[in-house]
Amino acid sequence: MLAKREHKKNLPIILEASLKQAKLDGKKKPVDAVAVTYGPGLEMCLWEGILFAQDLAKKWKVPLIPTNHMEGHVLSVFGKDKGTFKIPPPTGRQAKLKTPILSLLVSGGHTQLVLTKKWMDYEIIGETLDDAVGEAFDKVARMLDLPYPGGPQISALAEKGRIKNKLEKKQFLRSVSQADGPRGSAGLASPDSDSAKSASFLALPRPMLHSKDFNFSFSGLKTAVLYLVRDLGGIEKIDKKTKSQIALEFENAAIECLIHKTKKAVEKYGAKTLVVAGGVAANKHLRNEMKKAVGKKIKLLFPTRELSGDNSLMIGIAGYLNYIKNKKKVPKPGTIKATGNLRL
Ligand code: KG4
Ligand code: ZN
């Protein structure tokens, strides 16, 4: 109910601001069509959007295009943060994406591997059996007493831990190379042995890493963090360094699962394009590791970091491409229904 109310309050404010910014305010027919999300998501909120968009389409006498939120994420890779841009034609020689396309969709509600053999056709070949990866980031952030949304917070903390570990390793190697005598004879304790000890203590599972399918599971990983925090005496007893090491190990574990399955799917289906999209696609470690994992043979596309999370631009792009594809099949206003569990 709270979310629904926020939608109702914010939609007219955002509309006014966007039309103004695009210098389209005051026009009788500012746009050629209106795209609206009809699922997946919270139905009460989806309804707010649909009714609002319906009124606009009626007022401006333009078609209303129902759009799938997840397709929006896939097509968000065509968007730009600022200025004007061209959306490539969906098929033919000018089409930007070579098929088969594999999409890894990672958000707060979904973790899916989607195969596209024919442009704008989608087959889900794997997905999470429980929590979505973004949801796991958010829940673990809560356990570590970090504010919502947890993804960016965990990621920032993990990065600190990663840098610190690298520095410690560098310092150790320098002191070894400066010490007299054979390696280790100067009585230097390897930080590796230390971090190996703490690493094994903090080690978290990589659920379903070696399962033969393309599914994921993140609830066990989340629970493992819960037990770890409990075993360390609760979050109040955990020092800053350990907290960042937990965030680091959690991020490493979650991202490793995503990368491993994606790489396997790329190989099995001979994907020529890989799209990684959804809120978690903003994660720097995921971006870096994915680049390393798939190499240069495949075209790897991410949305800009700003367009990784939910945004209306991706719905506009998906709506536009669907309109081009199905011009004659635009549904009558009033027939669009909010569909909470809509599938690709
Ligand atoms: O796609 P999105 O904006 O909303 C849904 O459709 O769910 O995704 C939101 C999710 C949240 O769980 C948020 O914590 C996560 O994306 N997220 C991140 C990062 N930025 C956002 N997760 C990991 N690392 C990030 N940098
Ligand atoms: Zn989303």
Side-chain angles (χ1 to χ4, degrees), residues 69 73 107-109 134-135 137-138 149-152 155 278-280 282-283 309-310:
H69 178 85
H73 275 307
S107 71
E135 190 182 352
F137 268 88
D138 295 334
S155 175
V280 183
N283 184 282
D310 290 353

Side-chain angles (χ1 to χ4, degrees), residues 104-136:
L104 172 68
L105 303 181
V106 276
S107 71
H110 293 80
T111 305
Q112 296 180 325
L113 274 168
V114 179
L115 183 67
T116 293
K117 288 186 190 150
K118 220 176 89 200
W119 175 245
M120 288 176 82
D121 244 31
Y122 306 97
E123 183 195 341
I124 299 169
I125 57 163
E127 62 192 319
T128 181
L129 302 181
D130 39 58
D131 290 0
V133 63
E135 190 182 352

Side-chain angles (χ1 to χ4, degrees), residues 43-59:
E43 281 191 6
M44 275 202 274
C45 299
L46 293 166
W47 272 121
E48 282 302 325
I50 293 171
L51 297 175
F52 186 78
Q54 237 166 38
D55 281 350
L56 287 180
K58 211 167 143 194
K59 183 171 139 196

